[in-house]
Amino acid sequence: AQSVTQLDSHVSVSEGTPVLLRCNYSSSYSPSLFWYVQHPNKGLQLLLKYTSAATLVKGINGFEAEFKKSETSFHLTKPSAHMSDAAEYFCVVSEKSGGYNKLIFGAGTRLAVHP
Amino acid sequence: SQTIHQWPATLVQPVGSPLSLECTVEGTSNPNLYWYRQAAGRGLQLLFYSVGIGQISSEVPQNLSASRPQDRQFILSSKKLLLSDSGFYLCAWSSRQGLSAGELFFGEGSRLTVL
């Protein structure tokens, strides 16, 4: 069975500094991996996804993530944080189950950005 | 383009009262549909998923039920709400094929408070 571990429940950065949100996964085969962002009281929005193409994936709003099979990691990064990046971020792994793709969500990392 | 609508956005209900949350998808056909619950400070828990009309699978035993009376309509219900049913409920859909297969598209969520 696949699983996802987000290593930090809370991350706090200053505006303009780099962001690193860590995610490790376990999977018995090549997974599809996603990062979603959720602003308060809103639905989730896809930031980026990895589906066995390039290992460095670029997403929206300047975020990117690197798939490292040897480390079973898919960390999310951004060179310079903006106040609007404050939100909760979910790392997700997808597995096929029956007739649909079952998404396994991590517990989430809440990102705070300070002026 | 595809859109997903979920309502009501907020709901306050007494213990023991019924519940009906509705979700509709536009701009696509034959989607997979999902209901997730997000309790305060916790990740997303898959409640139900559906691969077709009248086909509902439950991930966890609970006080809730789901129905799919039409291809693009998904309803979450309860006959008698419990305090523990409080949370943020998210409807989502996914395509079964193509580049976006496996990617979930979320509604804006429904916040349920049971008093």
Side-chain angles (χ1 to χ4, degrees):
Chain A
Q2 301 190 71
S3 66
V4 176
T5 302
Q6 292 184 242
L7 299 166
D8 307 292
S9 59
H10 291 83
V11 170
S12 181
V13 301
S14 297
E15 190 175 21
T17 64
V19 175
L20 170 63
L21 305 183
R22 298 181 294 167
C23 173
N24 285 98
Y25 69 92
S26 67
S27 174
S28 56
Y29 56 89
S30 296
S32 292
L33 294 160
F34 306 80
W35 276 98
Y36 281 84
V37 61
Q38 184 183 30
H39 288 90
N41 294 310
K42 294 291 186 181
L44 279 72
Q45 180 185 19
L46 181 70
L47 273 180
L48 50 81
K49 62 181 177 182
Y50 167 78
T51 54
S52 74
T55 56
L56 182 63
V57 182
K58 293 187 183 298
I60 62 172
N61 301 336
F63 284 95
E64 61 182 37
E66 186 172 7
F67 174 70
K68 292 186 177 180
K69 187 175 182 178
S70 61
E71 299 177 9
T72 61
S73 70
F74 190 56
H75 302 333
L76 182 70
T77 60
K78 183 173 181 177
S80 176
H82 191 272
M83 296 296 289
S84 61
D85 294 328
E88 186 142 24
Y89 292 79
F90 293 94
C91 182
V92 183
V93 63
S94 173
E95 67 174 6
K96 279 210 177 287
S97 176
Y100 81 112
N101 290 75
K102 181 176 180 179
L103 270 64
I104 311 297
F105 282 79
T109 298
R110 186 166 297 279
L111 174 65
V113 182
H114 302 287
Chain B
S1 64
Q2 301 90 0
T3 57
I4 178 169
H5 303 282
Q6 187 180 339
W7 70 93
T10 58
L11 197 60
V12 180
Q13 292 285 100
V15 169
S17 65
L19 171 73
S20 181
L21 301 179
E22 190 162 343
C23 172
T24 59
V25 180
E26 297 177 359
T28 188
S29 59
N30 204 24
N32 291 329
L33 295 171
Y34 310 80
W35 277 110
Y36 283 85
R37 177 170 57 202
Q38 186 176 29
R42 300 177 67 178
L44 274 71
Q45 179 186 37
L46 179 62
L47 302 176
F48 299 96
Y49 68 91
S50 171
V51 299
I53 296 173
Q55 301 178 61
I56 310 295
S57 297
S58 174
E59 283 291 298
V60 294
Q62 60 201 301
N63 182 45
L64 302 168
S65 62
S67 62
R68 184 170 178 174
Q70 300 180 43
D71 180 47
R72 290 170 291 176
Q73 184 185 27
F74 206 23
I75 298 171
L76 183 69
S77 304
S78 174
K79 292 182 179 178
K80 289 186 176 182
L81 283 168
L82 305 173
L83 287 174
S84 58
D85 291 325
S86 293
F88 192 52
Y89 290 82
L90 290 158
C91 181
W93 72 273
S94 68
S95 174
R96 300 186 193 188
Q97 56 191 0
L99 293 176
S100 64
E103 176 182 343
L104 286 183
F105 300 89
F106 285 86
E108 288 291 291
S110 298
R111 182 161 301 283
L112 170 66
T113 303
V114 182
L115 302 174

